[in-house]
């Protein structure tokens, strides 16, 4: 996979500078057209053109997949637990 990552050229400065350039929505292919998830993710990385100073809108600039929900939920739970632990630490120090 590292050899394929070297060939990706993602530009983030001005993704829509050329009027002839296709948007993410136009370049997106359904997951069923790829033989493996790795190929699908490689394609997604190649067509993504994140905006630097404007919001990136779901389904216009990127897509969610059903298998992305478990890692997203785990990250959210981890973040809440981490913030709670830090808040408890500060609250414990103030109570003494």
């Amino acid at each position: 996979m590292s050899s394929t990552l070297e060939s990706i050229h993602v530009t983030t400065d001005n993704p829509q500078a050329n009027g002839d350039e296709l948007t993410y929505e136009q370049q997106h292919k359904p997951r069923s057209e790829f033989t493996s998830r790795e190929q699908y993710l490689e394609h997604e990385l190649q067509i993504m053109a994140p905006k630097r100073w404007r919001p990136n809108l779901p389904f216009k600039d990127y897509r969610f997949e059903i298998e992305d929900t478990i890692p997203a939920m785990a990250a959210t739970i981890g973040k809440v637990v981490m913030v709670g632990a830090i808040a408890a630490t500060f609250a414990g120090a103030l109570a003494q």
Side-chain angles (χ1 to χ4, degrees):
M1 187 165 157
S2 62
S3 62
T4 58
L5 290 177
E6 295 169 359
S7 63
I8 296 175
H9 301 289
V10 178
T11 58
T12 58
D13 292 331
N14 196 358
Q16 299 298 329
N18 187 357
D20 297 333
E21 193 172 317
L22 295 174
T23 65
Y24 172 82
E25 290 175 297
Q26 295 166 334
Q27 292 179 350
H28 177 74
K29 295 179 185 175
R31 183 178 57 196
S32 59
E33 290 188 20
F34 297 93
T35 57
S36 69
R37 178 155 169 81
E38 183 178 346
Q39 288 177 346
Y40 171 70
L41 293 175
E42 289 291 328
H43 174 72
E44 286 291 305
L45 284 174
Q46 290 173 356
I47 66 172
M48 272 183 71
K51 299 174 194 164
R52 194 171 198 169
W53 300 108
R54 291 177 287 173
N56 292 296
L57 303 172
F59 303 106
K60 182 178 180 208
D61 299 318
Y62 61 93
R63 293 196 187 270
F64 291 109
E65 298 296 333
I66 191 71
E67 51 271 350
D68 297 334
T69 56
I70 301 299
M73 287 175 22
T76 303
I77 292 168
K79 177 75 172 186
V80 169
V81 169
M82 182 180 64
V83 169
I86 292 171
T89 302
F90 280 114
L94 291 175
Q96 291 179 359

